[in-house]
Every structure is written in C-alpha cells, then in structure tokens.
Amino acid sequence: MVVVHGVSLTPGVLVSSFPLPFSSSSNARSLNSTVSFFLKKRPLSRKIFAGNQSAKFDSKSQAVSKKLLVPDNVDDGASLVTDDALQGPSNVTEESQKLNLESQTMEEDGIVITEDQASVSVNSSKVVKEKEVKPRTVPPPGNGQIIYEIDPMLRSYKDHLDYRYKQYKRLREEIDKYEGGLEAFSRGYEKLGFLRSDAGITYREWAPGAKSASLIGDFNNWNPNADIMTRNEFGVWEIFLPNNTDGSPAIPHGSRVKIRMDTPSGIKDSIPAWIKFSVQAPGEIPFNGIYYDPPEEEKYVFKHPQPKRPKSLRIYESHVGMSSTEPMINTYANFRDDVLPRIKKLGYNAVQIMAIQEHSYYASFGYHVTNFFAPSSRCGTPEDLKSLIDRAHELGLIVLMDIVHSHASKNTLDGLNMFDGTDAHYFHSGPRGYHWMWDSRLFNYGSWEVLRYLLSNARWWLEEYKFDGFRFDGVTSMMYTHHGLSVGFTGNYTEYFGLETDVDAVTYLMLVNDMIHGLYPEAVTVGEDVSGMPTFCIPVQDGGVGFDYRLHMAIADKWIEILKKRDEDWKMGDIIYTLTNRRWSEKCIAYAESHDQALVGDKTIAFWLMDKDMYDFMAVDRPSTPLVDRGIALHKMIRLITMGLGGEGYLNFMGNEFGHPEWIDFPRGEQRLSDGSVIPGNNFSYDKCRRRFDLGDADYLRYHGLQEFDRAMQHLEEKYGFMTSEHQFISRKDEGDRVIVFERGDLVFVFNFHWTSSYFDYRIGCSKPGKYKIVLDSDDPLFGGFGRLDRTAEYFTFEGSYDGRPSSFMVYTPCRTAVVYALADRDDDLETLGSKP
C-alpha cells in the first residue's frame, strides 16, 4: 500500500482529481486522440433516438406486480426477471439480500451450452445439439482441520479457527443454494451492468437507497426523463433498450453514460458501478463512464496460450504510466513493445502491473480505485491492455495484477462512495467504513452484494483480460479491525485470532482464493500482509486463507533500519533472522525494497547508500568516490542475500535493478488542507514520474553494472532454482569477520560484509564433496567490481566436519563481496555469469 508522505491522496470527497495533462509527444497525442474518440457524439445515432426512446421502451415493457417484464423477443441479458429469480433466503437481513440473479444463458442440469452448441428451431421448440461442455466448478470445501497437523500451536485457538471455517462453509452452502454455486456467483458481470443481447441492451444496477433512477448519456442527450428505470423489491434497477430500427445498438460504442438517481442525499449522477471503461476529458475533473462494446472486428483476439505457473517466481513489479524514459504518461502499447522485452532479457518470469483499475487521482499510485472493472484509460483502451498481456504470454511471462479490494476511493462523483446516496451501500457505515490514514472507504465484506461485486471483479480480470493472478493489496488492513495501524505484531497468536480479527474479511479472502484456484488452477495469488497471519498461505480446504505467497514485507523495513547504521554496527545474526523468519510450509515473496521507498519523501536503497554522489560520480571513465564504491558493492550484496535467503519468490520494482537515481513524484498541484496549511505541489510535472532505463543501459555508467548483476541473479536462479529448493543450511554468521555462509539448493553462498578485511584461504563448509567453481561473483568488472577473484579457479573439498558440514573448501573472500559456488560434477566447465576471463 502506498503512502505518499505529506500528500493527501484524495483531493476531497467531491473533487475527483486534477485535470489530466497530456504531453506534447507523439505518444501522448495518440492517447489524446483515443480519448477524444470516446467522447465524440454520434449525430446519426442521435437522430434515430431523439425524443422517443422512453416511449419505445414503455410500449414493450412495464412493471407489473413486482415483476420486470421485457419484450418477448429479448433473450440473454434482457430476459424475464421474476420474484422467484430474485428471491433470497429468508434468514438474511435486507442489507445483505441475496439477489440470485439467474443466468440468462441456457443451462440444463448444471451444463452450460456454449456458442458452438447453438440451438435450432423445430416446430417452435428449442432443440440443443448433442455436444455438451461441462462448466468449470469450484471443488467443495474440505474439513479445514489440516492446519492443526501443520501447526499444533493452532489447537489453542481452535474455537476461533473452526468458527472462521464454519462461516466460510456456510457462505459456500448459501451460494450453492441461492446462486447456483461459486462459479455462477462470480459471474455477476453477466447479470449487472450493461448486458448486450441480439435484441438490445439491458442495464441493471443495485442501488437500494435510490428513490428513482434513469439512464442518461450521449445516446439520449442526457435527458433524465427519457429512459426511466424500474426497481424490484431488492433494490435492483433495470431498463431495457431495444435495438434501433436498423439493428444497431441503442447506445453506440464509446459514448458516455451515467445513472441519475434521486437519493437520500439528493439528485446524483454516478458512473455505473460495473462500468468497463471510463475516461476523463481533457480539462475536466470528473470522469465519465463509457459504454464499451466494440464491434467484433475491433475486439482484440488473444493469440498465445497462458504460460504455466513457474516453480520459482521472479516478479518484475511495474507501473505502466511511469514506465517511459520521457516525462509523460506511457501507454500500454509502448510498455508492450519497449518494457516487456527488457523484463524478459533481465530474466524475470513474471510481471506485476500496478494501477490497472481506474483511479481518478493519478498520484494515488492506483490505490484509490474509482472504477473497479475498468482498466485505466490514461494508458489506452481495454484492447491495448489485452494486447500487452498477450505479448507477455508470447514471451513466456505470466502477468499478475495488483488488485485493490482492501478499500476504495472516497470520491462521490466517479466512485462507489455514496453511490445510492447512502453511507452503507458498499461500505461499512460510520467510522468503521472509513480508513483515516488512507482517506478512503472500507468495504462491508459481510454484505452479500459486496461479495458478488468483489468476487466477480477478480473473475472479470482473469476471464476477460487473461491475467495470470493477483497481488492483493492491503490485506493486513482487511483482516483486522485496527487495520494494522499503530500495532506491532510480535508473533503471539493472540494477535491474530481474537476480537480484533475481521472474520468477514478473512472469509472473503478464503472465498476469493477458493474461487480463483478452483476455476484457474494455474493462477497465482500473493497477499500483502505485514502481520504474519498464521495459515495465510495454506489451502482453504485445509483451513487456511488460501494465498500462494505472502509478501515478506519485514525485509525491506529491516534493510532501511540497517542502512541508517554504521557498517561497524551491522549484525550478521540480525540480517539472517529477518530473512529467514517466516512460517514453515508457507511461501513468501522476498524483496529488498518496495515501491513506497521510491516515492518523494522517502529513499531507495541506492539513495541511502550513495546519496547525491549518484549524480556526479557514476561515469565509468571518471574517478569514483568511497561512497559510490561502497554503495555499488552493498547494493549487489543486499539484493543477492535477499533473493538467496528471503523466500520462495523474489520481487523487484522497476528501476531498482540498476539503482534508479531519482525518486517518484507524481504530477500534483498545491493543496490546501482543512487546517489552513498548504502542501506545495510540483506544477503537475511529470519529470520525476518516469523510469530512466537509459541509465541502466549505458555501459559507460556504473548503473549498467548494477543492472547486469541483477540480470545475472535472475539467470542464476533460473538455472539452479535455489529459491524453491528444500535444502537450506546456514553454516556461518560470523560477527567478527562479518561473513555469512549458507547453502541453498546445490549452491554455496559466501558474503563478506566487512568494509576493509579480505580473507585468504578462508574455510567454508559444504554438504557435498568434490570440485567447486564460481558461478556468480559480485566483484566481477562487468558488475562494477574490482575483479579480485580468478573466475577460472577450481576449489577442491576436504573431508572432515567444519561449521557443521561434512566437507569444506578454501576460498579467497574480498571485502564487500558476494560469491556463489556450484559443484562441478562433470569434467566440463560450469557457466560463470559475468565478464569473459
């Protein structure tokens, strides 16, 4: 979760965002043209619909005895919805009514008939072809008891954990009973929002607090009296718009739409909650919902299969908008063509993309979401995003989305806040529904319709855009009523299983992981949890929360703590403890620094190490400084030991691989706070909202060495798979020598953190006898080192126990270096990653 120091992430409840500036570059002009296209009015369509849209609809449908009737010739999303179809269980409150909107596709005994099974008309009856396809289903819940075998300490908290699992099973049972199962329930986007059929467009919206509602937009000249919606007893508003006389849709693709409601808070125009695209017109503050339904010939068709889930996960975290070397908002197309090949070359096998869900305030880093089903229009169209993902798949990269279900923007003009004029629509009412630090709204995970909305949202991105999984943001905030604020987690189990645990939120996380892994077995889920919640990465059927990985967030914090100290005060045991302090059998993603540290007001590791010397002493053909030499050496060591010991996966934020010299400062204006104080802006500058990849590519700069080392790290892991090896043994953590030695997989890692002492004939332990060779050396000249080691040297083991290992060999370990050795079990030489000897 991003926290911008000294900057309010949301300008105000009623102020959506600042106007979106566009660069004068050709790429920016292209984006501007795209947005302009979606804001065009269609004169021809306007002539067809002007004046009588409502009359045409009213002549074919009307509300009768709590039933919504639509034309007889309408199928799919516009078919009949009755009391029975919307009947929820009798034991739930009105606030959490289960709407049970029945699927309008043909379903027979649990079998979904797909497009290639088209029905034919025979004597006015439907006959379905024999071919049937079994739909994907989520396996039934397990018994939830395996967690006690994995961790017997949990038995002391069995009442809490069994209650949690009982709640999860109850929800699964009710979803099965009233919604046809989790698979059907997670397709809410096929029931709500805009639904296109052969006969027209149906629009449905859950807004129980509204007194009246109408659909407005370019298609009806924004006339609130033209297309009035009808409401059922559960607060679902609906309207059907038949096709034009020429067969074209009533709402043209790319036109602006909103829902106007008479609410307890007054008349309100809102962007539909299930909108698939929204844009901000140049010079305007609010966003506009866009009816997005391109003709078939304009829809992107995926060409490449999704890669299998990699065993060792090496994630390149990125932000499309700020991925250009130029001061501009970059596009999906440019990222696809320029950045994805770079990620592949570096050796990463996964790209994690931030700020995908539309957010009105760019400086929120994408964390104040306004339109959950819409990809950010700043970077292009939905088809552009699909093209990006398809290209990543072609390169063998899986694509993870940084999804935000922990909170939502408090904007009322273009977000979910006060959508139907009530405080408790999608969110908790009162203080419980407001996050004071993030200045945002908090979902009510105990609401049936919130569950439908969020589960469907996760399903939508996997199904429509072919994402390969998610990094769930702010999970700690979700799981506890205190949101992890001003709380220091010590590891005591009472901190996790008590009255401060939000069981509704944890149950939602179990449901969403269950849905994702049940329907998409290759999908990956990563949870951002700083608390270390036990069972977090244990499968749901075994009683866990169900994530595949937890972000090992303590590591980045520890490095900042250490970097504030003198070298003499670094403790090897402290480093080892932090890197290895994770729960057995629960996988972690390790990272040395987060994207938060790159923001203005904070410091990256490179800046902590080298400070302003990074601007003047990074040219290879000019003298260095002691600060730069120290910084380059330690930057490499910190990253490698984090990858080597920190977890079963590794993450890097773009630019950190070469020690990016500049912070991130999103374009922003001056802000006046309620207390009268003023936060200065940067005149909406994009100068620091970019990534200087050119610095890492320039072989005449020392940044290049840092980048090449990162590439070597990734390729070393690709070859040896040490992060996922079951063998890990730390044989030495010498506080006097400042040396750390450990085995991970078949490799032996030797770190010398001493600032001046180099050691000849230094004996290190190993598990296997034989001949060893260097496979990675941070002191290699290619990596900005001094070349003090002979990369062709061979190291033969001695028999006899040393440092608790059955064998050992002698090495030279220079100060501030990290060297990796591999057993040469063949006569041919091992490949050494680095410059040629």
Side-chain angles (χ1 to χ4, degrees), residues 20-40:
L20 174 64
F22 287 90
S23 168
S24 59
S25 70
S26 59
N27 291 326
R29 284 197 298 269
S30 174
L31 178 58
N32 198 359
S33 300
T34 303
V35 174
S36 298
F37 164 76
F38 284 105
L39 296 177
K40 289 179 182 177

Side-chain angles (χ1 to χ4, degrees), residues 322-387:
M322 51 172 289
S323 64
S324 173
T325 58
E326 301 298 322
M328 56 176 280
I329 297 179
N330 207 13
T331 65
Y332 297 126
N334 286 348
F335 187 92
R336 175 197 65 205
D337 297 338
D338 301 335
V339 183
L340 286 179
R342 169 184 297 278
I343 297 170
K344 177 66 175 179
K345 183 179 179 181
L346 284 171
Y348 292 86
N349 55 24
V351 53
Q352 178 178 302
I353 308 181
M354 307 170 64
I356 289 295
Q357 294 166 291
E358 189 60 87
H359 47 291
S360 64
Y361 189 45
Y362 190 44
S364 76
F365 224 144
Y367 289 116
H368 279 202
V369 176
T370 46
N371 309 120
F372 282 78
F373 287 81
S376 179
S377 59
R378 293 178 177 88
C379 303
T381 69
E383 310 312 306
D384 294 334
L385 176 57
K386 292 175 183 178
S387 175

Side-chain angles (χ1 to χ4, degrees), residues 614-615 617-621 632 692 694-707 782 784:
M614 297 179 71
Y615 292 103
F617 300 99
M618 296 297 279
V620 174
D621 61 350
I632 289 177
R692 294 293 306 275
D694 53 314
L695 299 178
D697 293 342
D699 57 8
Y700 54 86
L701 296 176
R702 291 185 168 88
Y703 297 107
H704 182 68
L706 294 175
Q707 178 169 286
L782 176 64

Side-chain angles (χ1 to χ4, degrees), residues 61 100 131 241 344 351 390 593 621 667 730 760 789 814 817:
S61 69
N100 193 20
K131 181 180 178 182
L241 304 176
K344 177 66 175 179
V351 53
D390 199 27
E593 55 188 326
D621 61 350
I730 300 163
F760 291 92
L789 288 170
T817 59

Side-chain angles (χ1 to χ4, degrees), residues 704-719:
H704 182 68
L706 294 175
Q707 178 169 286
E708 285 300 302
F709 184 75
D710 199 271
R711 185 168 72 92
M713 275 177 28
Q714 309 309 318
H715 286 279
L716 181 75
E717 208 290 323
E718 173 68 23
K719 181 174 182 178

Side-chain angles (χ1 to χ4, degrees), residues 455-663:
L455 289 168
S456 299
N457 186 242
R459 176 83 180 270
W460 169 255
W461 294 107
L462 295 172
E463 191 75 25
E464 181 72 12
Y465 289 89
K466 309 300 180 188
F467 277 99
D468 302 287
F470 302 106
R471 178 263 201 188
F472 279 82
D473 168 70
V475 174
T476 303
S477 175
M478 297 172 66
M479 295 193 299
Y480 307 98
T481 56
H482 53 60
H483 310 302
L485 301 176
S486 303
V487 175
F489 290 96
T490 65
N492 189 312
Y493 279 26
T494 58
E495 298 167 348
Y496 308 113
F497 310 121
L499 296 177
E500 293 181 320
T501 303
D502 189 333
V503 175
D504 286 340
V506 176
T507 303
Y508 164 69
L509 293 171
M510 295 168 70
L511 283 172
V512 74
N513 275 300
D514 208 12
M515 182 271 292
I516 291 170
H517 292 127
L519 300 178
Y520 307 89
E522 292 295 319
V524 177
T525 60
V526 181
E528 186 196 36
D529 171 40
V530 72
S531 74
M533 162 78 78
T535 75
F536 191 75
C537 293
I538 294 176
V540 174
Q541 61 266 30
D542 295 339
V545 182
F547 284 99
D548 294 306
Y549 297 89
R550 179 178 68 87
L551 284 180
H552 201 338
M553 301 175 68
I555 297 176
D557 294 336
K558 174 57 68 173
W559 283 124
I560 296 304
E561 176 188 321
I562 292 173
L563 289 171
K564 294 178 181 179
K565 301 177 180 179
R566 304 178 307 160
D567 289 15
E568 295 88 333
D569 297 326
W570 288 28
K571 301 297 182 183
M572 302 301 100
D574 193 23
I575 294 172
I576 291 295
Y577 176 79
T578 301
L579 291 172
T580 58
N581 182 25
R582 55 186 185 274
R583 298 189 180 280
W584 178 71
S585 80
E586 299 194 40
K587 294 186 290 187
C588 288
I589 301 291
Y591 56 106
E593 55 188 326
S594 72
H595 55 252
D596 292 338
Q597 292 166 230
L599 289 168
V600 62
D602 210 332
K603 288 184 179 181
T604 62
I605 287 178
F607 229 101
W608 276 108
L609 289 168
M610 295 178 278
D611 204 66
K612 58 183 177 60
D613 281 19
M614 297 179 71
Y615 292 103
D616 299 316
F617 300 99
M618 296 297 279
V620 174
D621 61 350
R622 296 181 184 179
S624 181
T625 68
L627 199 63
V628 168
D629 289 342
R630 172 183 180 268
I632 289 177
L634 290 178
H635 199 277
K636 291 178 287 186
M637 296 178 71
I638 288 170
R639 283 181 285 154
L640 182 59
I641 197 170
T642 298
M643 186 183 217
L645 278 180
E648 291 71 32
Y650 180 77
L651 178 143
N652 169 72
F653 177 68
M654 64 177 188
N656 288 348
E657 69 273 14
F658 61 87
H660 200 285
E662 293 179 338
W663 55 89

